[in-house]
Amino acid sequence: ETGVTQTPRHLVMGMTNKKSLKCEQHLGHNAMYWYKQSAKKPLELMFVYSLEERVENNSVPSRFSPECPNSSHLFLHLHTLQPEDSALYLCASSQVPGDPSYEQYFGPGTRLTVT
Amino acid sequence: GQNIDQPTEMTATEGAIVQINCTYQTSGFNGLFWYQQHAGEAPTFLSYNVLDGLEEKGRFSSFLSRSKGYSYLLLKELQMKDSASYLCAVVDSNYQLIWGAGTKLIIKP
């Protein structure tokens, strides 16, 4: 595997379910990010981890819970989501911890549908 | 507030040239990115400008004017594979990335 991978690629879940999104980067980077991408809207930064410490949490509802067990893996735990949470969730990583002046490498995303 | 503006959609012809504009109003400036995103795929890095002027990279060029809060991405010799969304993003004074909504570029034969 190379670059940034995400699983699953597609997820349909009910509002009472609990699921997790997984991201793995094979680039030796020290910073990882979760973004939400909705149609015709700008990318929304949700969380940033730098050297496995959370450095950014942009007023994201508590039904989204991130976890970064090491510098290569990032999870987004989901529970009691709402239909408006349906979107593409993108993971990214970069070389310099927490400094977005450096190029971010994105995964292909998880297309989430909440029913 | 902070704002990035770019056209929602543009159409161009194969072999032609297209310019995608991006204007921004942010609290400070520490650089501007352009990314390409094909449908159903990850965004991929195209360019990064932090100083005024034109940066050329093959068929793609990116221009920045900090005094005008303006950038453009220039695509030459358009190919069908250039059909994608192009995302503009600015790094503000807090080193936060502020993203535009993207420009969907449609290439016609």
Side-chain angles (χ1 to χ4, degrees):
Chain A
E1 293 276 15
T2 58
V4 182
T5 58
Q6 290 186 243
T7 54
R9 292 295 308 276
H10 300 272
L11 178 62
V12 179
M13 59 186 289
M15 289 190 284
T16 58
N17 291 158
K18 290 184 181 181
K19 297 286 184 183
S20 296
L21 310 184
K22 179 183 176 182
C23 175
E24 186 173 356
Q25 59 97 0
H26 310 268
L27 301 167
H29 288 167
N30 292 312
M32 296 186 78
Y33 311 78
W34 277 119
Y35 286 93
K36 176 183 179 182
Q37 188 175 37
S38 303
K40 299 184 180 179
K41 289 185 179 180
L43 279 171
E44 298 173 45
L45 179 64
M46 301 175 73
F47 302 103
V48 180
Y49 277 82
S50 173
L51 297 171
E52 301 156 40
E53 295 289 326
R54 190 190 307 180
V55 297
E56 194 70 42
N57 177 355
N58 284 347
S59 302
V60 179
S62 59
R63 57 185 184 269
F64 295 91
S65 175
E67 178 189 0
C68 187
N70 55 62
S71 60
S72 298
H73 294 86
L74 186 64
F75 294 90
L76 187 63
H77 304 299
L78 316 171
H79 65 98
T80 58
L81 293 191
Q82 303 298 311
E84 60 265 28
D85 297 322
S86 298
L88 182 69
Y89 288 84
L90 289 164
C91 173
S93 69
S94 66
Q95 186 167 11
V96 178
D99 185 346
S101 295
Y102 287 82
E103 174 191 350
Q104 294 182 19
Y105 291 76
F106 286 83
T110 295
R111 174 67 62 185
L112 174 67
T113 303
V114 181
T115 59
Chain B
Q2 311 213 82
N3 196 48
I4 309 286
D5 283 318
Q6 46 181 136
T8 303
E9 188 173 297
M10 299 181 70
T11 303
T13 304
E14 191 176 16
I17 299 173
V18 71
Q19 177 175 310
I20 303 174
N21 295 326
C22 172
T23 57
Y24 61 89
Q25 292 174 306
T26 57
S27 56
F29 178 84
N30 281 298
L32 184 146
F33 286 92
W34 284 98
Y35 279 80
Q36 179 191 59
Q37 186 177 21
H38 286 100
E41 297 184 11
T44 54
F45 169 81
L46 288 177
S47 66
Y48 174 68
N49 294 66
V50 67
L51 299 176
D52 289 351
L54 186 68
E55 298 263 352
E56 297 187 71
K57 194 184 291 185
R59 294 188 300 113
F60 291 10
S61 303
S62 57
F63 171 83
L64 175 67
S65 169
R66 288 172 297 172
S67 62
K68 295 181 179 178
Y70 168 69
S71 173
Y72 67 73
L73 181 69
L74 190 71
L75 291 73
K76 302 177 183 176
E77 302 168 16
L78 286 170
Q79 302 175 9
M80 298 303 293
K81 67 179 182 179
D82 298 328
S83 292
S85 287
Y86 292 85
L87 311 178
C88 173
V90 172
V91 185
D92 72 7
S93 58
N94 294 320
Y95 286 90
Q96 296 278 336
L97 255 184
I98 313 299
W99 292 85
T103 298
K104 183 178 181 181
L105 178 63
I106 300 168
I107 309 296
K108 295 185 175 180

